[in-house]
Amino acid sequence: MVDIQANRETIAILGGTGDLGTGLAMRWSKAGYKIVIGSRTLEKARNAVANLQLISPETPADAMVNADAAAAGDIVVLTVPAEHQLATLGGVKTALTGKILIDVTVPLVPPKVGTVQLPREGSAGKRAQDLLGEDVMVVTAFQNIAAHLLQQDVHIECDVLVAGNKKVARDKVIQLAEEAGMTAWHAGPVENSAAAEALTSILIQINRRHDISHSGIKIVGQADHS
Ligand SMILES: NC(=O)c1ccc[n+]([C@@H]2O[C@H](COP(=O)([O-])OP(=O)(O)OC[C@H]3O[C@@H](n4cnc5c(N)ncnc54)[C@H](OP(=O)(O)O)[C@@H]3O)[C@@H](O)[C@H]2O)c1
């Protein structure tokens, strides 16, 4: 039975028709969050919602174009390819004021996706925060999690590094990652998103050279509270 709490936030996922957005939507929908799938086209969003409701029929979900989704979400998640990150955010900027924007962007530059090539702003997370200004709480996360693991009912071993300038916003995203079945950690200000973004290229190299399908990271040295 899904636990749908009336006071829970609505999560809007821009580009939620894609691989990563679908995976996050499935996990948060199963956790009882109302989901809004955003897309450039309403029809595509509707198809994604229909698929989501096959998996999680008890949880409400809506389909909207990205601008309406950004306005409808209490928390907004950006899951579009890196080259469309800024244009998509620029189109919804005013709807994000006062909200948490979770940005998953990994700025890989094909064909050398196994080589770290961060943008001149330092990271995709920093350039999002620069564009949106401090009235939007940009929090970066999930850059090292494979979309198709999110889409399956499997335990995800890889930890999540959560970067952003406001601790209260990072706390919320850590909670959301945990509710989606992952372990997440405070990684400091949004500049530190560079480390998680760069790590993805390293994990790609490890996958290739060590014949691993989904390498990931695990934070060690946890406090013993026993
Ligand atoms: N895939 C992974 O395993 C993974 C892991 C970690 C992080 N990420 C990050 O997650 C983000 C999304 O990755 P993905 O693999 O889910 O991407 P994707 O499936 O290729 O695309 C996601 C969505 O982006 C939208 N989109 C495509 N072209 C666009 C454009 N020109 N302008 C605006 N929106 C556009 C599309 O939605 P509509 O056509 O419905 O508008 C599409 O469904 C990327 O930044 C990536 O770095 C991915």
Side-chain angles (χ1 to χ4, degrees):
M1 190 74 174
V2 176
D3 172 26
I4 304 167
Q5 293 173 20
N7 59 354
R8 271 202 176 163
E9 298 91 343
T10 294
I11 302 176
I13 306 180
L14 313 184
T17 54
D19 292 337
L20 199 82
T22 298
L24 289 173
M26 286 166 64
R27 287 192 175 238
W28 285 326
S29 180
K30 283 190 210 163
Y33 283 91
K34 179 180 174 183
I35 302 294
V36 177
I37 298 289
S39 169
R40 289 167 297 170
T41 60
L42 195 52
E43 189 189 355
K44 210 170 157 188
R46 284 187 176 136
N47 287 339
V49 165
N51 290 333
L52 184 62
Q53 296 207 296
L54 292 175
I55 290 153
S56 192
E58 296 165 39
T59 312
D62 269 345
M64 298 184 192
V65 294
N66 283 329
D68 293 343
D74 301 307
I75 295 172
V76 181
V77 189
L78 182 75
T79 63
V80 302
E83 60 270 35
H84 308 303
Q85 178 203 23
L86 293 183
T88 305
L89 286 177
V92 300
K93 182 175 172 180
T94 51
L96 299 178
T97 302
K99 297 181 183 176
I100 294 174
L101 184 272
I102 304 177
D103 194 329
V104 305
T105 307
V106 183
L108 297 177
V109 185
K112 292 196 164 187
V113 295
T115 299
V116 177
Q117 301 176 78
L118 295 177
R120 62 185 161 77
E121 296 87 346
S123 67
K126 178 68 166 60
R127 74 184 177 190
Q129 186 71 76
D130 289 348
L131 174 78
L132 297 172
E134 290 299 325
D135 289 342
V136 180
M137 293 173 274
V138 174
V139 179
T140 68
F142 306 112
Q143 300 98 328
N144 309 130
I145 308 294
H148 85 265
L149 290 183
L150 288 170
Q151 292 172 15
Q152 293 171 46
D153 196 9
V154 294
H155 172 64
I156 294 181
E157 287 179 288
C158 181
D159 286 358
V160 178
L161 300 177
V162 178
N165 294 341
K166 297 250 167 57
K167 179 181 175 293
V168 65
R170 295 197 308 268
D171 281 338
K172 184 71 213 177
V173 177
I174 287 172
Q175 180 197 330
L176 287 172
E178 287 172 349
E179 288 176 303
M182 288 159 273
T183 302
W185 301 90
H186 283 279
V190 76
E191 283 82 354
N192 292 0
S193 181
E197 294 172 27
L199 201 48
T200 298
S201 289
I202 292 168
L203 296 174
I204 289 169
Q205 291 284 359
I206 292 170
N207 289 342
R208 282 182 191 155
R209 307 296 168 203
H210 297 269
D211 198 18
I212 299 172
S213 56
H214 299 104
S215 60
I217 55 149
K218 190 102 219 131
I219 301 302
V220 298
Q222 299 180 41
D224 182 0
H225 297 295
S226 61

